[in-house]
Amino acid sequence: MRELWGNAPPLGTDAAWPLRHPVIASIVWWLGISLVVAPLAIPAFRNRTEKA
């Protein structure tokens, strides 16, 4: 939010990669979580809907 209003603190050259690239880091985390959870959720959904 601070960055949107133009008063973000300057990042040092030793800042972590996710701090320097927050949008890319967020997308990578989203994809990683989806790749792990989706294969687990699909069979669980099928099992529960077939028995009903």
Side-chain angles (χ1 to χ4, degrees), residues 8-52:
L11 292 175
T13 56
D14 62 342
W17 189 85
L19 289 174
R20 290 183 280 142
H21 308 283
V23 174
I24 297 171
S26 298
I27 292 171
V28 168
W29 272 104
W30 175 78
L31 284 172
I33 292 170
S34 295
L35 288 173
V36 171
V37 173
L40 299 172
I42 292 170
F45 176 77
R46 286 186 183 150
N47 288 339
R48 290 181 184 177
T49 56
E50 287 175 1
K51 291 179 183 178

